[in-house]
Amino acid sequence: MGRWEPGARERLVAAAVDLFTEQGYDATTVTQIAERAGVTKSTFFRLFPDKRELLVAGQETLSRLLGEGIADAPADAGPLAAVADGLRRASGALGPANRELGPRLKAAIAASSELQERDALKTVGLAAAMTSALLARGVPDATAQVAGELGVLAFKRGYARWSEGSRDTDEPLEPYALAALDELRAASAALR
Amino acid sequence: MGRWEPGARERLVAAAVDLFTEQGYDATTVTQIAERAGVTKSTFFRLFPDKRELLVAGQETLSRLLGEGIADAPADAGPLAAVADGLRRASGALGPANRELGPRLKAAIAASSELQERDALKTVGLAAAMTSALLARGVPDATAQVAGELGVLAFKRGYARWSEGSRDTDEPLEPYALAALDELRAASAALR
């Protein structure tokens, strides 16, 4: 992002989600998104390849942070303890703007099969990032897959509750994600 | 499918996977697929909306069978026992042709980001089908999500091993899927 347009990325994401919600994903053009955000179309294309990618712009960052948090967990941490460290690391990257975006993003995704596909790929990608980081710690294959799936479920459930919660406070995402992981861990242990 | 073209669906799927593997997904046209399969282009479009959907033609059937198997499980079956019944029901729908297709399908998906997206959506869709069926049995939300994810992981891992196995025998998919579920159940129970 050019330093002459601070916040262009965040403004474009917010403008796009608003427009998708107001008039639908298919009817929204890159020109409209750029106008609403107050940037040029060429700024849009410097930041995003197309309007769909704009919605998953944070995915690479999230995958990287989840993986780094898992890699940096203490050597004696079990797979879920390492996943918790990944969730802590990634949660720190999401702030009030991400929280506020949640419900509108959810509405836009619910209304567009193209966005549903992109969102599904994101989910699978985040799980793969966690599973890979666990495998690199020497966690056995089946365990790494299960722990990676629980990690992405925890992230999604925690994010949903966080973003649907009260707007009054400046609560971080982290406790929501960790509480969701605890809940899923208990559910797994009780499975029969 | 018209009764005047028996097997057109199966022939089209096999022809498409071969062509995707030989020359790539993007370079393959509907015309080429229809020619290789020995059917007309209009037969193709009567059966599939486009070449991508052809590869996930079985998804609706699989989702339905997984859900029905879970719904029909004994009332006192736990969530994973119900998931096992879903896997039994769905496994019965896949025969030697599906097994033989596995490695070629995997190669085609690995080579195309568009197919990866469609495959990710399929994975998410199968998990959602199982989770919904479990919720309808009164399984609590978090448990139903975890059991649904384990179910789809078991199906994928079982299918991969089945389709990579020896071609000498007529082994069914079922024992592979159930063994994978057992393995994932043990991994979940040991998580910390």
Side-chain angles (χ1 to χ4, degrees), chain B residues 23-37:
Chain B
Q23 61 188 33
Y25 173 79
D26 289 331
T28 300
T29 66
V30 167
T31 304
Q32 291 171 331
I33 297 169
E35 268 174 21
R36 172 79 62 106

Side-chain angles (χ1 to χ4, degrees), chain A residues 41-53:
Chain A
K41 219 169 139 177
S42 68
T43 294
F44 181 101
F45 285 118
R46 204 164 54 241
L47 292 166
F48 304 104
D50 54 45
K51 67 176 175 176
R52 193 170 59 152
E53 289 304 316

Side-chain angles (χ1 to χ4, degrees), chain B residues 93-119:
Chain B
L94 301 188
N98 301 282
R99 184 184 195 184
E100 202 267 324
L101 216 55
R104 289 185 290 161
L105 190 53
K106 188 177 164 189
I109 289 173
S112 161
S113 62
E114 198 172 1
L115 292 183
Q116 283 157 33
E117 290 199 21
R118 198 63 196 70
D119 190 58

Side-chain angles (χ1 to χ4, degrees), chain A residues 52 76 78-81 116-117 120-121 124 141-143 145-146 149-150 153 157 183-185 187-188 191-192, chain B residues 52 76 78-81 116-117 120-121 124 141-143 145-146 149-150 153 157 183-184 187-188 191-192:
Chain A
R52 193 170 59 152
D76 64 347
L80 278 191
Q116 283 157 33
E117 290 200 21
L121 191 66
V124 170
D141 181 52
T143 308
Q145 285 223 1
V146 172
E149 292 295 340
L150 292 185
L153 274 181
R157 290 169 72 88
E183 184 188 24
L184 294 167
R185 182 203 325 245
S188 305
L191 271 179
R192 63 180 177 88
Chain B
R52 192 170 60 153
D76 63 349
L80 278 191
Q116 283 157 33
E117 290 199 21
L121 191 66
V124 170
D141 182 52
T143 308
Q145 285 222 3
V146 172
E149 294 294 342
L150 293 186
L153 273 182
R157 291 168 72 88
E183 184 189 21
L184 294 167
S188 306
L191 271 180
R192 61 181 177 89

Side-chain angles (χ1 to χ4, degrees), chain B residues 13-60:
Chain B
V13 171
V17 171
D18 279 350
L19 286 164
F20 294 163
T21 307
E22 287 166 26
Q23 61 188 33
Y25 173 79
D26 289 331
T28 300
T29 66
V30 167
T31 304
Q32 291 171 331
I33 297 169
E35 268 174 21
R36 172 79 62 106
V39 305
T40 64
K41 220 167 137 177
S42 68
T43 295
F44 181 101
F45 286 118
R46 204 165 55 242
L47 293 167
F48 305 104
D50 54 45
K51 68 176 175 176
R52 192 170 60 153
E53 288 305 315
L54 174 152
L55 278 189
V56 290
Q59 185 190 346
E60 289 77 12

